[in-house]
Amino acid sequence: MLLKTFGWSFAVTAAGLALAGVLWGWKGLAIVGILSILEISLSFDNAVINAGVLRKMNAFWQKIFLTVGILIAVFGMRLVFPVIIVAITAKMGPLEAVDLAINNKDKYEHLVTAAHPAIAAFGGMFLLMIFLDFIFEERDIKWLGWLERPLAKLGKLETLSIVVALLVLLVTAMTFATDVAHGGGDKTATVLLAGVAGLLTYLIVGGISGYFEDKLEEEEEEVEEAEEAERAEKAASGAQKGSQGATVVGLAGKAAFFLFLYLEVIDASFSFDGVIGAFAITNDIFEMALGLGIGAMYIRSLTVYLVRKGTLDDYVYLEHGAHYAIGALAAILLITIKYEIHEVITGLIGIVLIGASYWSSVVRNRREEAAGGEDAESKAEVTSGV
């Protein structure tokens, strides 16, 4: 199971480190290794969130996530995205931006860093919406009940998460964006525009994927009810069954496709801090793409592993911890519009929150096992007494 899931990650790591050693020597090999660890530590909570979405997909779309998805993650977000950002913000052509990234690395780093307020606002708002929609939703299982119960009651107010997110964006733009650390000057308009774009992206992609997911569930329920009626009455034809089955497959494909897009936007939002933080280690885009790409591969393999092992079902608070980590990351991204926050702090916050939720899940499982054992003993005593 472990080798099957992480086999490609191990192979990519070996090939990537070997390539780094050949191209850049021991120094390049060390840089790529450090960047890989950085990406894994920053995005561990991403794997838990992705697993919660990916387990709704079939095996085919899980493979798409590991193949096409990793290409988008490595070449799209870690290599192409920073170049596009430079091209847009510096108002130059894509080829000119590529030439700048290769031949004038210092200026390229400066331009990417200067674009950080817009990147942080977009990613911060997208992640904040994920956190708010989670925390305002009524759930049977609660981790921090003292906090989640009242917030779930407040969540009955429609569009509350949007209102809160817009208020956070407005406060951020009027405080952190007035004199930013990256690029200097007043970036209020930039932060507002990028933040609204992040919010709209979440609403559009998440809304479409949620729509098809709901439609799929409705169709599956209708098919199950029809099959039960058929078994009871023995009156349905094989042709009708086939047409119903085809409908479900078609809707599943649409739902899975938009969930896949949703996953890619989540990954993009998580990768922003990694890409920006990587400049503290190197400004070579190829070293950066290789190191962060190896880390991204492990995050994807970990996502699939969590799905196949049913870890989220066994450790029920993990998803809570990951969403709290998302909320923390969203806040950190918005704060970094003006203030520097070291990547180690970002990574540690996520690890601590997920670790705490994991331990709480273990304690809960032990408590339930103990309670189950006591119930079994009491029943045995009653039976023997009779």
Side-chain angles (χ1 to χ4, degrees):
M1 177 65 170
L2 186 66
L3 185 60
K4 181 180 179 181
T5 306
F6 287 89
W8 278 106
S9 296
F10 296 151
V12 168
T13 301
L17 291 177
L19 180 62
V22 171
L23 294 177
W24 304 299
W26 288 105
K27 181 180 178 181
L29 190 150
I31 288 174
V32 169
I34 292 171
L35 287 173
S36 301
I37 296 172
L38 172 69
E39 178 68 14
I40 294 171
S41 64
L42 289 174
S43 302
F44 186 82
D45 45 355
N46 189 10
V48 180
I49 296 299
N50 286 350
V53 179
L54 195 65
R55 62 179 172 176
K56 301 175 184 178
M57 300 180 180
N58 58 25
F60 170 77
W61 280 99
Q62 290 180 10
K63 291 179 180 177
I64 292 294
F65 177 73
L66 271 177
T67 52
V68 178
I70 195 61
L71 289 176
I72 296 173
V74 176
F75 295 103
M77 288 309 304
R78 275 75 179 180
L79 185 63
V80 178
F81 173 75
V83 174
I84 293 175
I85 288 296
V86 168
I88 294 174
T89 56
K91 298 180 181 180
M92 62 177 64
L95 294 179
E96 188 179 354
V98 171
D99 179 71
L100 185 70
I102 296 173
N103 298 316
N104 194 344
K105 298 174 183 177
D106 291 336
K107 185 176 180 180
Y108 170 77
E109 177 184 350
H110 172 74
L111 291 173
V112 173
T113 305
H116 178 73
I119 296 172
F122 180 94
M125 291 304 295
F126 188 91
L127 294 178
L128 180 62
M129 282 299 299
I130 294 176
F131 169 70
L132 292 176
D133 276 350
F134 178 87
I135 203 68
F136 285 142
E137 183 178 348
E138 180 63 44
R139 299 180 180 278
D140 295 331
I141 297 175
K142 296 176 177 62
W143 181 31
L144 305 178
W146 58 271
L147 175 64
E148 295 171 12
R149 288 190 188 93
L151 289 177
K153 291 180 181 179
L154 288 174
K156 293 179 181 179
L157 299 173
E158 293 185 7
T159 69
L160 179 62
S161 58
I162 299 176
V163 173
V164 173
L166 287 174
L167 285 174
V168 170
L169 176 61
L170 183 61
V171 172
T172 300
M174 298 303 294
T175 54
F176 300 145
T178 54
D179 185 18
V180 303
H182 304 275
D186 189 344
K187 299 288 185 179
T188 302
T190 300
V191 167
L192 282 173
L193 182 61
V196 170
L199 176 61
L200 289 175
T201 301
Y202 173 84
L203 293 175
I204 293 171
V205 178
I208 293 175
S209 63
Y211 169 77
F212 281 110
E213 187 179 352
D214 291 341
K215 289 288 290 182
L216 175 60
E217 291 177 357
E218 290 176 6
E219 289 293 327
E220 288 177 342
E221 289 176 1
E222 290 178 3
V223 170
E224 289 175 0
E225 291 174 0
E227 288 178 348
E228 288 178 2
E230 288 168 4
R231 284 193 295 268
E233 301 174 3
K234 298 181 180 180
S237 66
Q240 288 174 330
K241 291 181 182 179
S243 63
Q244 288 174 335
T247 302
V248 172
V249 171
L251 287 172
K254 293 176 183 177
F257 172 72
F258 283 104
L259 282 175
F260 172 76
L261 292 182
Y262 180 65
L263 278 174
E264 291 307 313
V265 179
I266 291 176
D267 179 76
S269 300
F270 270 96
S271 70
F272 291 150
D273 58 335
V275 172
I276 297 298
F279 281 106
I281 300 170
T282 180
N283 57 9
D284 188 303
I285 61 168
F286 299 111
E287 289 180 345
M288 194 181 300
L290 187 57
L292 298 179
I294 291 174
M297 188 71 190
Y298 276 98
I299 293 302
R300 269 167 164 64
S301 296
L302 180 60
T303 298
V304 174
Y305 181 81
L306 293 174
V307 171
R308 292 175 180 172
K309 290 287 288 184
T311 305
L312 298 185
D313 295 325
D314 295 336
Y315 303 96
V316 294
Y317 298 138
L318 266 182
E319 206 165 357
H320 293 72
H323 278 88
Y324 282 112
I326 279 184
L329 178 58
I332 288 172
L333 278 173
L334 295 177
I335 292 171
T336 56
I337 291 174
K338 185 171 184 178
Y339 300 104
E340 296 280 355
I341 297 180
H342 200 280
E343 291 75 26
V344 172
I345 297 175
T346 306
L348 282 178
I349 290 176
I351 292 173
V352 168
L353 286 170
I354 291 178
S357 63
Y358 172 80
W359 178 247
S360 297
S361 301
V362 171
V363 172
R364 176 183 183 273
N365 292 343
R366 289 176 180 174
R367 189 186 304 121
E368 290 190 346
E369 288 177 4
E374 291 176 0
D375 291 341
E377 289 178 4
S378 61
K379 289 179 181 178
E381 291 175 0
V382 171
T383 304
S384 61
V386 174

